[in-house]
Amino acid sequence: MFTLAHLSDPHIGPLPRAQIRELAGKRVLGWLNWNRGRRETHRMDVLDQLLIDMHAQNPDHIALTGDVVNLALPGEYPAARAFLERVGKPEQLSLVPGNHDAYTKGGAIRLLSEFDPWMRGDGAGAHPLDEMERFPYVRIRGKVALVGLSSAVPTAPFMATGKLGVRQVTKLRAALEHLGKEGYCRVVMLHHPVRRQDAGPTAMLTDADRLTGVLRQIGAELVLHGHIHTGRVHRTKGPNGPIPVVCTPSASAAPERARWPASYNLLSIDGERGKWRIRLTVRGFAAAGHPPEQLRDERLC
Ligand SMILES: [Fe+2]
Ligand SMILES: [Fe+2]
């Protein structure tokens, strides 16, 4: 059996001091937002407790579905990288970026170099990769194929939408087809939700239909995402039956303040081609003042 841990949206804080010129444009709104409440919602002591509990479960691999930073300020990256190093070595941790990691155009470029080792496919070598070359990346771990997508694009103020683009989805189709023929359990990771209604017009994946089209025709065994800071499971159509789609709340959400306190998923994967068995166990904070515990346990397929 293979155990994959899934966490998302750590929103590492506190925000560093920023220069006035760095807060121009969209970042001013993000800065105000952070100081008006987000800094009390995303608590690093909560995240630390969750990480200790997750590491104690000894997962075979960890998937992190984005929003590591907040405003993509240059000063946020040292703490963000230290956090990633604490979560797992690049070969043990697969990251896909979120909209906050690509908050501005500069942020979108910077994240590729800052988070590079955790977003590199098997056999990619060490040469620099641009976004087009990098995504989707594929990492094979035992019978499991992890497929990492980037839906992180810089957007206008008040917008948090995501987009995959035609090129990435075309490459995804080919990768899923190949991995399916090889008999792997295909796990697709992205930041934004697959269903538009989960996020609304200002935060949805604008080309979700492209993704669901590929999933419907080619298939995958599991889809993981974050972004909506909510624990949720639904199914999307696949060629051989429904494909489970799983979201997890923010890994730093304070139980005193957040509607969905911090938790993470453990996905136990067993079986073989055409007969995969996947079990979901959710662990996290049931209430303030309690240590992380098991919150839910169900068979997905
Ligand atoms: Fe987020
Ligand atoms: Fe997000």
Side-chain angles (χ1 to χ4, degrees), residues 9 11 38 65-67 98-101 160 191-192 203 226-229:
D9 298 77
H11 290 278
R38 281 185 88 111
T65 47
D67 280 358
N99 54 302
H100 281 265
D101 303 314
H191 180 66
H192 287 79
H227 188 54
I228 52 175
H229 297 199

Side-chain angles (χ1 to χ4, degrees), residues 99 158-162 192-193 196 198-206 227-228:
N99 54 302
F158 303 109
M159 299 297 280
T161 51
H192 287 79
R196 288 182 182 202
D198 282 335
T202 58
M204 67 184 187
L205 183 67
T206 55
H227 188 54
I228 52 175

Side-chain angles (χ1 to χ4, degrees), residues 149 164 169 172-173 176 188 190 192-198 205-220 223 234-239 241 243 245:
L149 295 171
L164 295 169
V169 176
L172 172 70
R173 172 186 285 271
L176 290 178
V188 175
L190 78 162
H192 287 79
V194 170
R195 287 192 304 196
R196 288 182 182 202
Q197 70 263 36
D198 282 335
L205 183 67
T206 55
D207 57 354
D209 291 350
R210 282 197 190 112
L211 175 60
T212 50
V214 168
L215 293 172
R216 193 167 51 239
Q217 286 172 17
I218 312 296
V223 179
H234 71 91
R235 265 99 182 154
T236 190
K237 280 184 188 158
I243 301 168
V245 179

Side-chain angles (χ1 to χ4, degrees), residues 19 34 77 138 181 200 207 242 263 267:
Q19 296 175 0
W34 176 266
Y77 289 96
V138 176
K181 278 183 190 151
D207 57 354
S263 68
L267 297 136

Side-chain angles (χ1 to χ4, degrees), residues 135-147:
F135 297 106
Y137 67 73
V138 176
R139 292 173 150 197
I140 305 290
R141 300 290 183 269
K143 294 179 186 174
V144 176
L146 296 141
V147 183

